[in-house]
């Protein structure tokens, strides 16, 4: 039987509606809305398209939104001064510096300069530490892992006591999602294994997974025979494997493939995320959730 599809595009709509309603309520009661600034340095086409979507989504849910575009040649000192200005601006609850940054700028220095209480990406070491401690300490879980956990919960998949296998150990996805799934609390309490490029028998580990989360960046890495029948498979891979002409717009668009051999995996898994339309739409959605949360913290509502 074909697996149930866990569609990020549908879950996104549910969450954005929840956020919009909450923003409206806070505006009526407290006269303020969440403020998000997106800082883009240079003209990287992928970054431009991500930032454009972030701005569009922020507007849709009723946030105050500032798009701060800086030239490719902006100095590190000027960028740090800009961040300092937004750190001290009470109307701004979330500061996002789009990565990657040009080579002459120290990315770590820039991310560390963001006030941890406005770091809605969850990349600042303070927020990484808070995530590790878990529970009430967590302020801003990083957006892609938060989206993954939300999808698992909303798909009704039991996580308590489940064997979770995470393929990939990046700072942005693998390490944080592994940490989140092993914490005490709803949507977690799992037994977690992280596998990576040096793991001896990837297939054997994957085959044990009740929930298999794949963030390796290798198209089609996970084969159907690595999947336990009935497992929940979350494919975080977004690999550009070619180009095609869009039927809708007539423009050239990228052909995307996940880290899982989707067509075959679908026949074995109990639930699976598609690519595109799976985890992808969740990242920006959770950025909105974190920005709203930041305002709520500042108003004493969270
Ligand atoms: N570049 C690619 N993904 C991200 C992200 O989630 N946040 C930021 N700040 N930059 C990115």
């Amino acid at each position: 039987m074909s697996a149930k599809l866990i569609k990020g595009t549908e879950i996104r709509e549910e969450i954005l509606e929840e956020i919009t309603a909450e923003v409206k309520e806070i505006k009526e009661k407290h006269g303020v809305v969440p403020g998000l600034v997106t800082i883009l340095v240079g003209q990287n086409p992928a970054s431009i398209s991500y930032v454009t979507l972030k701005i569009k989504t922020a507007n849709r849910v009723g946030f105050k939104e500032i798009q701060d575009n800086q030239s490719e040649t902006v100095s590190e000192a000027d960028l740090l001064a800009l961040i300092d200005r937004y750190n001290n601006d009470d109307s701004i609850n979330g500061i996002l510096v789009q990565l990657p940054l040009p080579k002459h700028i120290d990315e770590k220095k820039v991310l560390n300069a963001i006030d941890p209480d406005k770091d809605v990406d969850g990349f600042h070491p303070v927020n990484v530490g808070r995530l590790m401690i878990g529970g009430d300490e967590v302020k801003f879980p990083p957006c892609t892992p938060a989206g993954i956990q939300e999808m698992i919960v909303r798909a009704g998949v039991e996580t308590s006591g489940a064997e979770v296998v995470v393929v990939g150990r990046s700072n942005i996805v693998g390490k944080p999602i592994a940490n989140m799934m092993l914490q005490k609390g709803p949507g977690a309490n799992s037994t977690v294994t992280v596998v990576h490029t040096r793991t001896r028998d990837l297939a054997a580990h994957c085959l044990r997974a009740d929930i298999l989360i794949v963030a390796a960046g290798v198209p089609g890495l996970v084969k159907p025979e690595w999947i336990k029948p009935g497992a929940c498979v979350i494919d975080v891979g977004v690999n550009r494997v070619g180009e095609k002409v869009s039927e809708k717009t007539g423009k050239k668009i990228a052909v995307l493939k996940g880290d899982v051999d989707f067509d075959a995996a679908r026949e074995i898994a109990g639930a699976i995320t598609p690519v595109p339309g799976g985890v992808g739409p969740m990242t920006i959605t959770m950025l909105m959730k974190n920005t709203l949360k930041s305002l709520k913290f500042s108003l004493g509502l969270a």
Side-chain angles (χ1 to χ4, degrees):
M1 210 178 70
S2 236
K4 168 185 166 169
L5 281 188
I6 309 176
K7 293 185 184 164
T9 42
E10 285 178 6
I11 299 174
R12 169 184 62 195
E13 294 308 305
E14 281 172 31
I15 297 175
L16 291 182
E17 274 173 31
E18 290 164 13
I19 293 173
T20 308
E22 220 177 330
V23 169
K24 193 164 169 265
E25 197 186 321
I26 291 176
K27 189 177 177 184
E28 280 165 11
K29 281 195 186 144
H30 301 271
V32 285
V33 296
L36 173 67
V37 59
T38 50
I39 301 173
L40 172 68
V41 180
Q43 300 281 325
N44 178 319
S47 291
I48 291 173
S49 80
Y50 282 133
V51 165
T52 306
L53 201 52
K54 286 170 187 175
I55 291 160
K56 212 172 125 191
T57 311
N59 282 324
R60 174 184 159 180
V61 295
F63 289 2
K64 166 186 161 173
E65 187 281 320
I66 297 175
Q67 183 185 4
D68 197 324
N69 290 349
Q70 296 291 317
S71 126
E72 181 84 26
T73 57
V74 70
S75 72
E76 186 180 280
D78 283 350
L79 191 56
L80 292 172
L82 188 68
I83 290 170
D84 191 51
R85 186 152 65 75
Y86 288 121
N87 280 342
N88 290 299
D89 181 341
D90 287 342
S91 72
I92 294 298
N93 307 100
I95 302 171
L96 182 139
V97 178
Q98 188 65 28
L99 305 176
L101 290 170
K103 292 219 163 27
H104 68 278
I105 296 173
D106 181 345
E107 209 161 89
K108 209 154 92 178
K109 216 170 179 180
V110 168
L111 293 182
N112 289 0
I114 297 172
D115 178 347
D117 291 342
K118 295 189 179 188
D119 166 42
V120 284
D121 254 334
F123 292 166
H124 191 288
V126 166
N127 285 316
V128 176
R130 286 170 171 165
L131 192 79
M132 180 91 175
I133 296 166
D136 291 346
E137 282 291 322
V138 183
K139 280 206 153 180
F140 306 118
C143 302
T144 302
I148 293 169
Q149 191 176 37
E150 192 81 35
M151 292 178 101
I152 295 170
V153 170
R154 289 191 189 227
V157 175
E158 178 61 81
T159 59
S160 181
E163 291 284 342
V164 170
V165 175
V166 178
V167 183
R169 53 179 163 177
S170 70
N171 286 333
I172 290 182
V173 184
K175 282 195 256 180
I177 189 63
N179 199 277
M180 289 161 76
M181 297 308 292
L182 67 78
Q183 298 289 351
K184 275 189 187 168
N189 283 323
S190 308
T191 304
V192 180
T193 306
V194 183
V195 299
H196 48 78
T197 43
R198 299 295 175 95
T199 298
R200 274 202 295 268
D201 190 349
L202 273 181
H205 285 289
C206 291
L207 204 43
R208 277 194 300 104
D210 300 311
I211 300 171
L212 181 61
I213 300 170
V214 192
V218 180
L221 172 75
V222 172
K223 308 292 179 269
E225 59 275 20
W226 299 13
I227 295 168
K228 178 171 164 180
C232 169
V233 178
I234 307 289
D235 189 350
V236 192
V238 187
N239 305 291
R240 288 164 190 253
V241 293
E243 276 189 340
K244 66 177 181 184
V245 175
S246 162
E247 280 174 25
K248 261 197 215 158
T249 63
K251 286 185 185 163
K252 268 193 190 170
I253 52 168
V255 177
L256 301 177
K257 190 168 157 55
D259 289 352
V260 177
D261 179 354
F262 178 80
D263 291 334
R266 195 178 176 181
E267 300 307 316
I268 297 165
I272 189 167
T273 59
V275 177
V279 176
M282 296 300 293
T283 302
I284 292 178
T285 305
M286 301 317 284
L287 175 72
M288 301 302 135
K289 200 159 177 172
N290 275 350
T291 308
L292 171 59
K293 222 170 151 188
S294 179
L295 174 65
K296 284 165 73 178
F297 282 130
S298 74
L299 293 172
L301 302 173

